[in-house]
Amino acid sequence: MSSIVNRASSASLPNFLAWRALGFRTICSGRLGFAPSVPDSPASAGTKILESFKEEFEVGSRVVSFETGKIARFANGSVVLGMDETKVLSTVTCAKTDSPRDFLPLTVDYQEKQYAQGLIPNTYMRREGAPKERELLCGRLIDRPIRPLFPTGFYHEVQIMASVLSSDGKQDPDILAANASSAALMLSDVPWGGPIGVIRIGRICGQFVVNPTMDELSSSDLNLIYACTRDKTMMIDVQSREISEKDLAAALRLAHPEAVKYLDPQIRLAEKAGKQKKEYKLSMLSDKTLEKVADLAATRIESVFTDPSYGKFERGEALDNIGKDVRKVFEEEGDQESLSILPKAVDTVRKKVVRSRMISDGFRVDGRHLDEVRPIYCESHYLPALHGSALFSRGDTQVLCTVTLGAPAEAQSLDSLVGPPKKRFMLHYSFPPYCTNEVGKRGGLNRREVGHGTLAEKALLAVLPPEEAFPYTIRINSEVMSSDGSTSMASVCGGSMALMDAGIPLRAHVAGVSVGLITDVDPSSGEIKDYRIVTDILGLEDHLGDMDFKIAGTRDGVTAIQLDIKPAGIPLDIVCESLENAREARLQILDHMERNINSPRGQDGAYSPRLATLKYSNDSLRTLIGPMGVLKRKIEVETGARLSIDNGTLTIVAKNQDVMEKAQEQVDFIIGRELVVGGVYKGTVSSIKEYGAFVEFPGGQQGLLHMSELSHEPVSKVSDVLDIGQCITTMCIETDVRGNIKLSRKALLPKPKRKPASDAGKDPVMKESSTVYIENSSVGEIVASMPSIVTPLQKSRLSVPAVVIRTAVECNEAEKSSPVNDNDKPRRAATSKPDRKPKSTASKLIATQKEEEALESIAPEETSAECGEILKQDGKLKSVSPKNNSTASNLVSFSKAKKSTMKENLSENKAEESASVSTRKLKIGTEMTATVDHVRALGLVLDLGGEIRGMYIFQGDKDKFKKGDTLRVKCTSFNTKGVPVMALVDEEGEE
């Protein structure tokens, strides 16, 4: 055959001798076949026709389609559900053989791949890895309403895989995946009691919205997922912002008819393309075995459950002993078939005993009434070294919750197709083996732990402050210390208390409780004849009951709900009735929590976290980050703080104040801090001027601290308050466009207290309009009643009493009548202003001479007459006149005394000025007497006179000097700023 092929290919043969002319086709996959009947047509592949079936319908305002037969044709059942541009594929497969087991091994896998939104995964391997939290939660969402509809005794392994094929970001694919899985089960040959419909309901501005988009859901205060059959509820999942029970019941009743719209299209699709249901072997319990086990153990089981003194483990040990005794009986009889199903049979008998007692008598396993809550213990601040902690116990269930606050950059990144990219609040639930006294291994993500933690997280999210008011990233760790039912609801209670303990301003406390259901069902019709709603269920009641209805909320409404059931549906009326029972129990729990802690704890403790948000330029932040982030990581390692940089903002998060200060010091050392008006900053005095001081801050920035902003009290010299190199704290009070910074120190100092009005007369105030000297007691009594007399008593140098009273008007009239010139009249002592330079020595001498000449030019008679005239003009001193000889003589004596006093002061001033003048001509080698003005760490500041300062450097003689000492010094040199450097003069050596 190969030779024929070679010859045909090497030589050009006529058409009638070619392969196709002979009726053969080319060799493909090692087989030789006949070619099509048309010899002249070119070679082409055959066209395969894929028979597909499609059902379209409308839910809410959107068109939904079910399609099968085009892809995943080998799966037992496969359906593509589409809404807008979002499409989800769901497939069902079932194991061919049945392994011995007593449970249904149903596995639901939900997967979101990045190609569904046109992206490549941002991982090292550029492919998806282990399932993320969202994928696990969506898998649970599909599993919960589907599992109860499998027939009893069906223990074949079933796997459902839901994959998102494309996503437009408008619709959440989780609801589509649940409905697609229901349709795939309907098309498969697996026995299942469906279909189900799953719907999402939102509420925007008080109006319910069916199938809201992601944008609409972000502004909704309700996110309700509802699953049902035609007449019964299968699953409820709610996240809300304190919705009332009445509004929630209205939403549930709206959701049911909307979800039913998914059922008929699935039934029609199954009629077109579904497979015939296969007869699978069911592991059923024989009536004979059940009757025998009931005869052997029912009475003993009932005695255990009617004794409330049994604890969880004592009760379990007693039931195990009963099971062992029953096993011995079957082993003696050699009934191997019954031995294989004995544990299931004993559990069934136990379930019947407990349920019948609760329905008939209304008492529970631990002796409580149906609506009674177990004893509660609350303790906040259990671990003081943490940011927040709380211990919550309800019965034997105990949970320890801790809160950790972090930087905004530590928020969890969510790599999902829809929803926000980050999550700043996380609650991580942990269920270790020791909480149930078991031995087990700790692995990775556990579906149950993720589900319980997310439920508690949704319950607390509604009361958290907005991110703008509280920008921390918050993480709660819920560690189950012991478990006997409702650990997820205990995590809600403990988490709420821990958040309060961490100082987070919650709107209100959140508490949760689990409600159960016990039903009496008619075996023939499957209808519920009687039922009991059980509040705060135990772990055993959860196992033996029909419903686990977890409800969390505040006093004002519900924040989260999760409903899981075991039978094939529960009437919606029973579900709505359970809401009120849960509310009453929730209020009891909130009372206990609020008695322990009812407001956020203050963040002023040693372990309270700190957060600082600072604004910098991008260039400054690049400097802080350093090459490859080296400087930023160095600060975090050395201080323990966390630095987050985003869009010109630096956020520092520290676990306490000490760590915060260390981190800020290192940041300031590298880039400084941009000063803002109203901010308080630490700096160092770099230079001192006559008008103020310049303060330098880390990073090279400088600001002016004017002397008027040093203190509330007047400051004559800046050097009296500040020293070069001194570290001070100031407030920025003003900045201009040129970058000049004005600082204030007095803004941080407490204002001096004003004296009360009742003490105004005790501390008189000097007024410019009057000058009073009082020696005579009789005149003093008259003057004391005058409002213009406000100066204290002062002793004159004269032995003769004298009184002079002048007002502003009187002085002006006296100046007009006096022959003294305006330049020669005595001047009032003025308060020195720090902004003005002191007058020169020459001007002071001229002023003193003029005052002396003015006194000499005034005759005693003129003085007495003038004062008498002034006294006449004062309405309050009419009894005093110049005719009074004693008063006139006193005035004359006063004028003479004042003249002599001013002469003495003039001579003293001349001596001082001469000394100051010689000091201004200071040269090296000049000796003089100086006064110690300040004692510094390295030397002395000396007052040389004439407002000139000198410096003396210690030579090992630091301790013998103090402020005010008088020293004999000699000028030895001048420093770079012109300050004279002095040395002590050895007087004994000179003599």
Side-chain angles (χ1 to χ4, degrees), residues 622 624-636:
R622 278 192 288 268
L624 176 64
I625 296 173
M628 304 298 291
V630 173
L631 295 179
K632 176 177 174 290
R633 288 195 298 271
K634 180 181 178 183
I635 295 175
E636 292 178 339

Side-chain angles (χ1 to χ4, degrees), residues 873-915:
Q873 294 175 2
D874 194 306
K876 295 184 180 181
L877 291 177
K878 294 180 179 180
S879 59
V880 182
S881 65
K883 296 179 181 179
N884 192 330
N885 295 331
S886 61
T887 305
S889 61
N890 290 341
L891 294 176
V892 173
S893 302
F894 166 74
S895 61
K896 292 182 179 180
K898 183 175 181 181
K899 178 179 178 181
S900 61
T901 303
M902 292 189 64
K903 286 184 178 181
E904 294 176 0
N905 293 338
L906 180 62
S907 60
E908 292 176 0
N909 290 337
K910 288 181 178 180
E912 292 177 0
E913 296 300 332
S914 61

Side-chain angles (χ1 to χ4, degrees), residues 419-721:
K422 290 187 177 182
K423 182 172 68 172
R424 73 180 185 102
F425 174 59
M426 302 159 282
L427 193 148
H428 296 156
Y429 170 93
S430 179
F431 192 86
Y434 63 79
C435 70
T436 55
N437 195 24
E438 295 177 356
V439 177
K441 294 182 179 180
R442 298 295 297 158
L445 286 177
N446 181 281
R447 288 175 181 254
R448 180 180 180 276
E449 292 182 344
V450 172
H452 281 36
T454 303
L455 174 61
E457 179 182 302
K458 291 190 295 186
L460 295 172
L461 188 62
V463 297
L464 287 179
E467 187 174 1
E468 296 78 14
F470 196 82
Y472 288 92
T473 296
I474 308 169
R475 184 194 183 207
I476 297 179
N477 278 83
S478 177
E479 304 289 338
V480 180
M481 299 289 105
S482 60
S483 173
D484 192 13
S486 302
T487 54
S488 60
M489 295 295 96
S491 299
V492 173
C493 302
S496 179
M497 295 176 60
L499 290 173
M500 285 275 193
D501 183 61
I504 299 175
L506 300 184
R507 289 194 296 173
H509 262 312
V510 182
V513 68
S514 185
V515 177
L517 178 67
I518 304 297
T519 59
D520 184 11
V521 181
D522 187 355
S524 59
S525 62
E527 296 295 329
I528 298 177
K529 297 187 298 183
D530 198 2
Y531 66 90
R532 295 290 185 272
I533 297 175
V534 184
T535 303
D536 187 20
I537 58 177
L538 298 172
L540 181 62
E541 293 170 339
D542 183 13
H543 172 68
L544 302 178
D546 296 328
M547 177 180 76
D548 184 9
F549 196 9
K550 301 181 179 72
I551 307 173
T554 64
R555 292 186 180 275
D556 298 330
V558 176
T559 58
I561 281 180
Q562 179 177 299
L563 170 64
D564 295 325
I565 63 172
K566 294 173 184 171
I570 293 176
L572 184 57
D573 293 336
I574 297 179
V575 174
C576 295
E577 183 182 349
S578 303
L579 293 175
E580 186 60 31
N581 292 45
R583 180 180 178 275
E584 295 176 359
R586 187 171 73 244
L587 295 180
Q588 297 178 32
I589 300 171
L590 287 172
D591 290 338
H592 287 272
M593 296 169 58
E594 291 172 355
R595 280 197 292 267
N596 184 267
I597 180 170
N598 59 1
S599 61
R601 194 180 301 275
Q603 295 187 348
D604 53 357
Y607 301 103
S608 299
R610 297 291 187 270
L611 183 143
T613 302
L614 308 173
K615 293 289 185 179
Y616 290 100
S617 64
N618 292 330
D619 293 337
S620 300
L621 292 178
R622 278 192 288 268
T623 304
L624 176 64
I625 296 173
M628 304 298 291
V630 173
L631 295 179
K632 176 177 174 290
R633 288 195 298 271
K634 180 181 178 183
I635 295 175
E636 292 178 339
V637 171
E638 292 180 354
T639 63
R642 299 292 180 90
L643 273 63
S644 175
I645 299 174
D646 183 24
N647 194 22
T649 302
L650 171 64
T651 303
I652 305 176
V653 178
K655 62 182 181 180
N656 52 49
Q657 184 62 30
D658 293 338
V659 174
M660 174 62 72
E661 291 178 356
K662 292 179 182 178
Q664 286 184 343
E665 286 179 2
Q666 294 206 20
V667 170
D668 293 345
F669 180 77
I670 295 175
I671 60 175
R673 188 185 304 181
E674 293 188 9
L675 308 184
V676 296
V677 176
V680 179
Y681 309 97
K682 288 184 178 180
T684 304
V685 178
S686 59
S687 62
I688 295 178
K689 305 298 182 181
E690 294 180 353
Y691 49 84
F694 285 95
V695 181
E696 184 175 354
F697 300 96
Q701 295 171 297
Q702 279 193 344
L704 173 61
L705 177 59
H706 195 268
M707 66 187 309
S708 62
E709 296 292 337
L710 284 173
S711 175
H712 293 288
E713 304 295 335
V715 177
S716 58
K717 289 187 292 185
V718 180
S719 58
D720 294 342
V721 181

Side-chain angles (χ1 to χ4, degrees), residues 764-773 783 786-792 794 804-811 828-829 870 874:
V765 181
M766 175 70 71
K767 291 186 178 181
E768 297 180 359
S769 61
S770 63
T771 304
V772 180
Y773 298 92
V783 174
M786 297 176 59
S788 61
I789 300 175
V790 291
T791 55
Q794 298 181 0
V804 176
I805 304 173
R806 290 176 180 266
T807 62
V809 177
E810 296 165 351
C811 290
R828 176 177 50 87
I870 293 171
D874 194 306

